[in-house]
Amino acid sequence: MRTLIVTEFVSLDGVVDSPGGGSHPRAGWTFNDVPFDAAAYEIKGREQLEAGAMIMGRRSYEEFAPVWPSMPEFAQYNAMPKYVVSSSLTAPDPGWASTSILRSIDEVAALREGDGDGNLLVHGSPHLAQQLLAAGLVDRYHLLVFPVVLGGGKRLFADDGGFARLTVAEQETYANGVVKLVYDVER
């Protein structure tokens, strides 16, 4: 069985909407509103090294696919298998190689239970992350909590979502106020 990790940039009030750009009124809040500290992003490099595949929902995929393939810092992500969970996407973007479409949470469960090397990383995609938690498929959370309050937007955890008990696996606070929180989901 592979480890399924939800990895997110999150505001202090739980918003994960548009951290690098997008439609939120404060889009880009991770870079525009908090000073950069390279140490806070160490976990992102480690995620790429330990990942075997990336999973995302359709909206995140549609935001990432036009941009990530041209970014050298995402070379390992660009080379690995990518899965988009969507009932409406008809075909993957031909410019982002090794992308497949999954039609259901059951297909994600089968991918997690199947053979394969490396972790399965869920990027962005708060609605998908909520569904995976409710289905009992999330094994770990990698959260970089930013010292901003956005007041609204898409949240990582739904008000009526699933319950999980978490154990701290790693934590660190950086000079810019960002806090790394890595949680394992207790079974």
Side-chain angles (χ1 to χ4, degrees):
M1 180 170 75
R2 298 167 83 176
T3 301
L4 192 143
I5 299 170
V6 172
T7 179
E8 296 283 355
F9 296 125
V10 60
S11 69
L12 189 59
D13 58 340
V15 175
V16 295
D17 199 343
S18 306
S23 60
H24 189 277
R26 300 279 320 177
W29 49 270
T30 58
F31 303 107
N32 298 330
D33 298 320
V34 177
F36 180 77
D37 183 343
Y41 294 90
E42 173 275 335
I43 193 168
K44 295 306 185 185
R46 187 169 17 128
E47 286 173 349
Q48 278 193 76
L49 292 174
E50 297 173 355
M54 189 165 57
I55 302 173
M56 64 207 97
R58 181 188 51 82
R59 286 187 187 127
S60 292
Y61 174 73
E62 288 174 343
E63 288 181 15
F64 295 171
V67 179
W68 281 32
S70 64
M71 299 177 76
E73 61 268 32
F74 296 135
Q76 289 168 297
Y77 283 140
N78 292 328
M80 72 179 59
K82 291 163 284 300
Y83 298 93
V84 183
V85 181
S86 174
S87 60
S88 61
L89 189 66
T90 55
D93 184 321
W96 208 11
S98 303
T99 302
S100 302
I101 299 171
L102 302 177
R103 296 293 181 200
S104 69
I105 297 300
D106 290 339
E107 288 185 62
V108 176
L111 182 64
R112 181 175 166 262
E113 295 297 326
D115 294 331
D117 293 325
N119 299 324
L120 300 172
L121 290 180
V122 178
H123 276 277
S125 311
H127 181 68
L128 175 60
Q130 293 166 7
Q131 291 177 306
L132 295 169
L133 174 63
L137 297 176
V138 177
D139 298 301
R140 177 172 264 206
Y141 288 94
H142 288 181
L143 307 177
L144 287 179
V145 181
F146 284 71
V148 296
V149 175
L150 299 174
K154 297 174 189 163
R155 299 185 182 280
L156 177 55
F157 301 106
D159 290 338
D160 59 351
F163 172 82
R165 174 120 174 92
L166 309 174
T167 302
V168 175
E170 288 181 52
Q171 61 184 357
E172 189 167 355
T173 302
Y174 302 98
N176 62 356
V178 171
V179 178
K180 173 179 67 179
L181 296 171
V182 175
Y183 289 107
D184 287 329
V185 177
E186 292 184 9
R187 301 275 182 232

